[in-house]
Amino acid sequence: MANELATKRQQLKREIALGYQLFAELGWGDLGDGHISGRDPADQNSLWLLDANTPFKHASVTKLVRLNSEGEVIEGEGATNWPAFYIHYPILAKRPDLNSVAHTHTPFGTPFAAEARKFEAITQESCIFIDDHDVFDDDEVQVQDTDCGFRIAESLGRNRGLILRNHGLLSVGKTPRESVVWFIMMERVAEAHLKSRNPQPISHNAALYAKADLATDGQVDHAFTNLVAHHLT
């Protein structure tokens, strides 16, 4: 059992580190404005994040820290990213079905979030989020405590994605690779919304049909593998 947990923890940490590196390669998080978390497989009430002082492109398994329910570092060497803890811990506490949250500020997600509206089914990728995302319609963009984080978790509900008004995008998943893939998809959907001048909507039934085919573990694994191969090797 101990070996199995150690293997799961190493896999979790590797995916978190790769997620940060992918964000860096895509040009995101250069100001340290973002975070990817993973719930520890042995201690479900703790989570892993990148050390607050490590740039995304330098993310590695050894640069991750494990935080307890108070945000204190209990494993690894480094500092707590407090805004990340304030957002991620409440979401994972409210959603035991999830193990990862991803968020950063992006060229299209952040301006789209300023419009405080939901995605429409106007592209293939956008179908993934039909009936599966919402808007956190709150102007507390500087998250400074878990009270705000729990309000974010309430707005997220059972969805896979959330648009933080005037702030940016947030995604969740059963694994770090899943939250990262959904986040990248959300950014592409936001880009399509901001660039499309007269989009023709996909019907709700057709969107749900596409979603059933696209939102699978197999598609996530395929997308994550391709992203890593394209950007990091």
Side-chain angles (χ1 to χ4, degrees):
M1 179 64 73
N3 288 339
E4 181 181 349
L5 285 173
T7 299
K8 287 182 178 180
R9 178 179 283 169
Q10 188 68 11
Q11 175 65 19
L12 177 90
K13 293 168 69 177
R14 179 176 179 274
E15 288 187 12
I16 295 171
L18 287 172
Y20 276 107
Q21 292 172 26
L22 281 171
F23 280 11
E25 285 297 309
L26 292 166
W28 306 339
D30 55 333
L31 297 176
D33 47 4
H35 13 85
I36 302 166
S37 64
R39 189 197 303 271
D40 187 74
D43 179 2
Q44 297 286 295
N45 204 36
S46 66
L47 67 153
W48 292 89
L49 286 166
L50 183 65
D51 160 50
N53 298 317
T54 299
F56 285 15
K57 70 177 180 179
H58 295 152
S60 68
V61 168
T62 60
K63 294 293 186 178
L64 302 180
V65 293
R66 184 159 68 96
L67 309 178
N68 64 14
S69 60
E70 301 300 318
E72 301 164 333
V73 175
I74 56 174
E75 190 172 347
E77 297 182 3
T80 298
N81 182 328
W82 286 105
F85 174 76
Y86 295 145
I87 295 172
H88 293 235
Y89 180 79
I91 291 174
L92 294 178
K94 294 282 285 186
R95 292 283 302 273
D97 58 312
L98 300 175
N99 293 303
S100 181
V101 181
H103 163 70
T104 193
H105 301 176
T106 50
F108 296 99
T110 296
F112 181 82
E115 298 184 357
R117 63 186 174 108
K118 295 174 70 172
F119 293 145
E120 299 177 56
I122 62 170
T123 64
Q124 184 185 44
E125 292 89 350
S126 66
C127 296
I128 293 169
F129 303 99
I130 295 305
D131 297 341
D132 220 343
H133 78 292
D134 213 328
V135 177
F136 177 60
D137 193 3
D138 190 306
D139 63 1
E140 188 172 339
V141 296
Q142 192 66 15
V143 181
Q144 300 186 61
D145 53 45
T146 54
D147 287 346
C148 184
F150 277 109
R151 295 204 309 277
I152 290 171
E154 187 69 24
S155 289
L156 174 67
R158 308 305 298 176
N159 296 304
R160 77 177 71 236
L162 188 66
I163 297 164
L164 306 173
R165 177 185 141 199
N166 304 109
H167 191 157
L169 309 175
L170 179 144
S171 62
V172 296
K174 299 186 298 295
T175 61
R177 67 170 57 201
E178 185 170 284
S179 67
V180 167
V181 166
W182 294 150
F183 186 90
I184 292 171
M185 290 287 194
M186 287 184 78
E187 171 66 1
R188 293 184 178 181
V189 173
E191 180 179 2
H193 278 71
L194 292 178
K195 287 184 174 180
S196 299
R197 302 184 68 177
N198 186 30
Q200 301 302 304
I202 300 165
S203 71
H204 191 254
N205 285 344
L208 292 178
Y209 182 82
K211 176 183 175 179
D213 188 51
L214 295 169
T216 66
D217 293 345
Q219 290 286 4
V220 166
D221 292 344
H222 180 70
F224 190 78
T225 299
N226 282 352
L227 286 164
V228 170
H230 183 77
H231 293 285
L232 301 180
T233 58

